[in-house]
Coordinates of all heavy atoms in Angstrom, one line a residue:
P205 N -41.9 13.5 -14.8 CA -40.9 12.6 -15.3 C -40.6 11.5 -14.3 O -40.7 11.8 -13.1 CB -39.7 13.4 -15.6 CG -39.9 14.6 -14.8 CD -41.4 14.9 -14.7
R206 N -40.3 10.3 -14.7 CA -40.0 9.3 -13.8 C -38.7 9.5 -13.1 O -37.8 10.2 -13.6 CB -40.1 7.9 -14.4 CG -38.9 7.7 -15.4 CD -39.1 6.3 -16.2 NE -38.0 6.1 -17.1 CZ -36.9 5.3 -16.8 NH1 -36.8 4.8 -15.5 NH2 -36.0 5.1 -17.6
V207 N -38.6 9.0 -11.9 CA -37.4 9.2 -11.1 C -36.2 8.3 -11.7 O -36.4 7.1 -11.9 CB -37.6 8.8 -9.6 CG1 -36.2 8.9 -8.9 CG2 -38.6 9.7 -9.0
I208 N -35.1 9.0 -12.0 CA -34.0 8.3 -12.6 C -32.7 9.0 -12.2 O -32.7 10.2 -12.2 CB -34.1 8.1 -14.1 CG1 -33.0 7.2 -14.7 CG2 -34.1 9.5 -14.8 CD1 -33.1 6.9 -16.1
V209 N -31.7 8.2 -11.9 CA -30.3 8.8 -11.7 C -29.5 8.4 -12.9 O -29.2 7.3 -13.1 CB -29.7 8.2 -10.4 CG1 -28.3 8.8 -10.2 CG2 -30.6 8.5 -9.2
R210 N -29.0 9.5 -13.6 CA -28.2 9.2 -14.8 C -26.7 9.3 -14.5 O -25.9 8.7 -15.2 CB -28.5 10.3 -15.9 CG -30.0 10.3 -16.2 CD -30.2 11.3 -17.4 NE -31.7 11.5 -17.6 CZ -32.4 10.6 -18.3 NH1 -31.9 9.5 -18.8 NH2 -33.7 10.9 -18.4
E211 N -26.3 10.0 -13.4 CA -24.9 10.2 -13.2 C -24.7 10.5 -11.7 O -25.5 11.2 -11.0 CB -24.4 11.4 -14.0 CG -22.9 11.7 -13.9 CD -22.4 12.9 -14.7 OE1 -23.3 13.7 -15.0 OE2 -21.2 12.9 -15.0
I212 N -23.6 9.9 -11.1 CA -23.1 10.2 -9.8 C -21.8 10.9 -9.9 O -20.9 10.4 -10.5 CB -23.0 8.9 -8.9 CG1 -24.3 8.1 -8.9 CG2 -22.6 9.2 -7.5 CD1 -24.2 6.8 -8.2
V213 N -21.6 12.1 -9.2 CA -20.4 12.8 -9.3 C -20.0 13.2 -7.9 O -20.7 13.9 -7.2 CB -20.6 14.1 -10.2 CG1 -19.2 14.9 -10.2 CG2 -21.0 13.7 -11.6
P214 N -18.8 12.8 -7.4 CA -17.9 11.8 -8.1 C -18.4 10.4 -7.9 O -19.3 10.2 -7.1 CB -16.6 12.1 -7.4 CG -17.0 12.4 -6.0 CD -18.2 13.3 -6.2
V215 N -17.7 9.4 -8.5 CA -18.2 8.0 -8.4 C -17.4 7.4 -7.2 O -17.7 6.2 -6.9 CB -17.9 7.2 -9.7 CG1 -18.8 7.8 -10.8 CG2 -16.4 7.3 -10.1
A216 N -16.5 8.1 -6.6 CA -15.8 7.6 -5.4 C -15.6 8.8 -4.5 O -15.4 9.9 -4.9 CB -14.4 7.0 -5.8
I217 N -15.8 8.5 -3.2 CA -15.8 9.6 -2.2 C -15.3 9.1 -0.9 O -15.4 7.9 -0.5 CB -17.3 10.2 -2.1 CG1 -17.3 11.5 -1.3 CG2 -18.2 9.1 -1.4 CD1 -16.8 12.6 -2.1
A218 N -14.7 10.0 -0.1 CA -14.3 9.7 1.3 C -15.5 9.9 2.2 O -16.4 10.7 1.9 CB -13.1 10.5 1.7
P219 N -15.6 9.1 3.3 CA -16.7 9.4 4.3 C -16.7 10.8 4.7 O -15.6 11.4 4.9 CB -16.3 8.4 5.4 CG -15.5 7.3 4.8 CD -14.7 8.0 3.7
G220 N -17.9 11.4 4.8 CA -18.0 12.8 5.2 C -18.0 13.7 4.0 O -18.2 14.9 4.1
G221 N -17.9 13.2 2.8 CA -17.9 14.0 1.6 C -19.3 14.3 1.1 O -20.3 13.9 1.7
R222 N -19.3 14.9 -0.1 CA -20.6 15.3 -0.7 C -20.7 14.8 -2.1 O -19.7 15.0 -2.9 CB -20.9 16.8 -0.6 CG -22.2 17.3 -1.1 CD -22.5 18.7 -0.8 NE -22.7 18.9 0.7 CZ -22.9 20.0 1.3 NH1 -23.0 21.1 0.6 NH2 -23.1 20.1 2.6
V223 N -21.8 14.3 -2.5 CA -22.0 13.7 -3.8 C -23.2 14.4 -4.5 O -24.2 14.8 -3.9 CB -22.3 12.2 -3.7 CG1 -22.7 11.6 -5.1 CG2 -21.0 11.5 -3.3
T224 N -23.1 14.6 -5.8 CA -24.2 15.1 -6.6 C -24.8 14.0 -7.5 O -24.1 13.3 -8.2 CB -23.8 16.3 -7.5 OG1 -23.2 17.3 -6.7 CG2 -24.9 16.8 -8.4
L225 N -26.1 13.8 -7.4 CA -26.9 12.9 -8.2 C -27.6 13.7 -9.3 O -28.3 14.6 -9.0 CB -27.9 12.1 -7.4 CG -27.4 11.5 -6.1 CD1 -28.6 10.8 -5.4 CD2 -26.3 10.5 -6.4

Side-chain angles (χ1 to χ4, degrees):
R206 68 186 182 93
V207 177
I208 185 171
V209 178
R210 304 186 190 279
E211 185 181 22
I212 304 174
V213 181
V215 295
I217 193 75
R222 182 168 293 181
V223 171
T224 299
L225 309 177

